[in-house]
Amino acid sequence: MHDNYDILVVRQILGIISNEEKRRLEEWRQKDAAHEERYQKMLAQDLSSEEYERYASINTELAWEKFVEKTQIEDPGVKTVSKHRTFRHLWRYAAAVVLVAVVGAAGWWYTDYKKVTPPVISQEIEQAMHQSEVSGKQVAMIEKIVNTTEATSVQEQIAQIKEELEDYTVSDDVVEELLAATRVTTYHDKEFWLKLDDKTLVHLNYNSKLIHPERFGSDSRDVVLDGEAYFMVAKDKSRPFVVHTPNGDVKVYGTEFNVNTRIKNDNVNDNDNNGKGGYRTEVVLVKGSVGVTPEGQAERMIVPGEQATFGENTGINLRNVDVTPYVAWNTGTFVFNDMPLSKLMEVLSKWYNMEVVYEDSTLQGLTFSGEFDRYGGVEPIVKGLNTAMGLDVSVKGNRMIIKR
């Protein structure tokens, strides 16, 4: 029987569930996949007035039990006729009061459930967006995912999408929503800020690709990512926001997080099968709540300040991290914490489209901690490295030459 647990789901929706009830509900969800499916359907459904009344009547029974307990009276079924009538009147009154309260609360919940709240854009982020544009970094190639000149029928268009997304796990429903999708691709030295249909703000880093529909569907909001992006997701309880990556999905229950699908294992050969294309996916949660679901595995929730890394045929590696570097690049700052010079220069060489030359290869292992303006040009960074690390870094044409 599901009824008792249906009550718990409704109580959770209405925000009146106790800790003990929450524990029981979690145990029930984990006990059987069918239970979890029922739970998700109840969260997503548009409840009818009849269902409200059903849940209300269930809760009036709970209210009566509490009424009996608080007044320390016996159950009306064992009372005399006169007392039974008295309790029956009390019962009807209690039921009517609870019915009005529950239906009112359910109506409020439904309005809140369907509400879409755009993310709050700080002045710092607005300034970063402005700097990106005036510095010439706000550039991307924007095109339709389906080439209608090559695919004339819907079946051919769907086949075209499936071919592009062969490394991703997406349902047929999502594929159909992508028939009118846009592909946004950044260059190796550019980035791009974009707002999606629901006002979600996405900051796409260099050499990255995002596919998103022109209009999100009524059940979910699905995008496809290859590369790195910072997401500030609009709140919409009725439509989960899902980021599909080559190694699995990221389901959003909150607001701000960073996703990078091109993380290489340290000290592991690139040809090793540790992720699609030799890469793993990394998710860092800044605010709110997200769940990560590697391909073929169960969902795992992460909390703010946690980093989840996962690849093909690997488990999820969780660890606490300083979110500062992930927030900083989104607001226009490079932040490096004990980063090897080789990795630091890899970032800078891509961003400034320059070649790096080491006159002494041992210098690559030196570490650096510091911050640089992402839009300030390469000269201040070269000066900062020379001062902080005692190096001789010079710029000649399109090359950065590093020596002692």
Side-chain angles (χ1 to χ4, degrees):
M1 293 294 291
H2 291 290
D3 284 351
N4 290 338
Y5 292 99
D6 287 354
I7 297 172
L8 297 184
V9 176
V10 174
R11 289 177 64 80
Q12 182 186 58
I13 290 171
L14 296 177
I16 58 175
I17 192 169
S18 68
N19 290 334
E20 174 60 22
E21 290 171 333
K22 187 182 296 184
R23 182 190 64 77
R24 287 171 50 206
L25 181 59
E26 286 299 315
E27 290 180 351
W28 178 77
R29 290 173 57 192
Q30 296 175 13
K31 188 175 182 180
D32 193 316
H35 295 173
E36 176 63 18
E37 182 180 0
R38 182 178 180 85
Y39 171 79
Q40 294 295 340
K41 285 182 177 179
M42 286 192 67
L43 290 185
Q45 68 182 328
D46 295 335
L47 299 180
S48 65
S49 59
E50 290 78 14
E51 287 171 309
Y52 282 141
E53 291 173 1
R54 173 173 176 265
Y55 292 139
S57 65
I58 291 172
N59 278 276
T60 55
E61 293 175 9
L62 296 177
W64 170 249
E65 292 173 5
K66 291 183 178 180
F67 177 77
V68 171
E69 179 182 352
K70 287 183 178 180
T71 56
Q72 296 183 341
I73 62 175
E74 298 178 12
D75 186 87
V78 297
K79 288 295 177 180
T80 62
V81 173
S82 61
K83 287 186 177 181
H84 181 81
R85 289 173 180 171
T86 300
F87 289 129
R88 186 169 58 192
H89 288 306
L90 287 172
W91 164 240
R92 288 175 178 173
Y93 175 77
V97 170
V98 174
L99 176 61
V100 171
V102 172
V103 171
W108 170 86
W109 163 79
Y110 183 76
T111 301
D112 182 68
Y113 183 66
K114 287 293 186 180
K115 182 180 180 181
V116 179
T117 306
V120 177
I121 309 302
S122 67
Q123 185 175 358
E124 187 178 25
I125 291 177
E126 288 182 348
Q127 179 64 23
M129 295 169 67
H130 175 71
Q131 287 182 311
S132 177
E133 187 170 357
V134 299
S135 66
K137 290 294 186 179
Q138 172 79 353
V139 180
M141 180 170 59
I142 303 175
E143 55 192 342
K144 295 296 182 183
I145 184 175
V146 172
N147 187 336
T148 54
T149 61
E150 296 180 1
T152 55
S153 69
V154 173
Q155 290 74 17
E156 289 175 328
Q157 294 176 25
I158 290 176
Q160 199 176 91
I161 295 173
K162 287 185 175 181
E163 182 179 359
E164 177 160 351
L165 302 182
E166 61 180 352
D167 288 336
Y168 298 80
T169 302
V170 293
S171 67
D172 290 341
D173 290 340
V174 173
V175 170
E176 289 185 12
E177 285 187 9
L178 296 179
L179 285 172
T182 298
R183 182 195 300 111
V184 181
T185 308
T186 55
Y187 302 93
H188 61 271
D189 59 343
K190 306 295 182 184
E191 64 181 357
F192 199 75
W193 294 82
L194 66 154
K195 280 189 178 181
L196 305 182
D197 170 49
D198 63 341
K199 307 304 180 186
T200 288
L201 183 63
V202 183
H203 186 182
L204 198 61
N205 208 352
Y206 57 77
N207 196 27
S208 299
K209 177 178 67 177
L210 182 78
I211 296 173
H212 66 91
E214 291 182 356
R215 300 284 182 185
F216 287 122
S218 59
D219 298 325
S220 65
R221 297 170 290 166
D222 295 81
V223 300
V224 178
L225 175 69
D226 180 20
E228 183 173 20
Y230 190 98
F231 292 85
M232 299 180 65
V233 179
K235 184 178 180 181
D236 184 345
K237 295 179 181 178
S238 67
R239 296 183 300 172
F241 190 98
V242 181
V243 181
H244 299 277
T245 82
N247 293 303
D249 297 338
V250 182
K251 189 174 183 180
V252 183
Y253 299 87
T255 50
E256 295 187 29
F257 59 100
N258 194 83
V259 182
N260 191 340
T261 70
R262 297 178 184 165
I263 300 299
K264 294 182 180 180
N265 279 335
D266 293 333
N267 303 319
V268 174
N269 189 289
D270 289 347
N271 293 324
D272 287 352
N273 185 26
N274 56 73
K276 291 290 181 66
Y279 294 99
R280 296 172 297 146
T281 292
E282 172 193 273
V283 181
V284 175
L285 181 58
V286 177
K287 296 179 183 178
S289 178
V290 304
V292 296
T293 308
E295 186 176 351
Q297 299 182 38
E299 182 181 48
R300 184 78 172 270
M301 302 300 296
I302 63 176
V303 300
E306 274 191 332
Q307 176 196 79
T309 308
F310 54 96
E312 187 178 25
N313 301 322
T314 69
I316 302 175
N317 180 37
L318 290 179
R319 69 186 185 100
N320 294 323
V321 296
D322 179 6
V323 301
T324 302
Y326 303 93
V327 175
W329 87 262
N330 185 52
T331 54
T333 305
F334 285 121
V335 175
F336 303 109
N337 293 324
D338 292 326
M339 180 171 286
L341 187 61
S342 59
K343 289 190 176 181
L344 183 153
M345 297 309 296
E346 181 180 348
V347 172
L348 297 181
S349 65
K350 290 179 179 178
W351 184 244
Y352 293 108
N353 193 21
M354 302 184 74
E355 178 187 0
V356 178
V357 178
Y358 295 92
E359 289 198 354
D360 181 352
S361 60
T362 62
L363 298 177
Q364 298 183 47
L366 297 177
T367 59
F368 173 82
S369 295
E371 300 181 8
F372 297 119
D373 182 359
R374 189 174 168 92
Y375 306 112
V378 71
E379 291 79 9
I381 295 179
V382 168
K383 184 177 180 179
L385 290 174
N386 288 338
T387 301
M389 304 185 70
L391 297 174
D392 181 3
V393 182
S394 59
V395 176
K396 294 185 178 179
N398 200 40
R399 307 171 79 196
M400 280 191 288
I401 301 173
I402 305 175
K403 57 185 177 181
R404 291 190 183 276

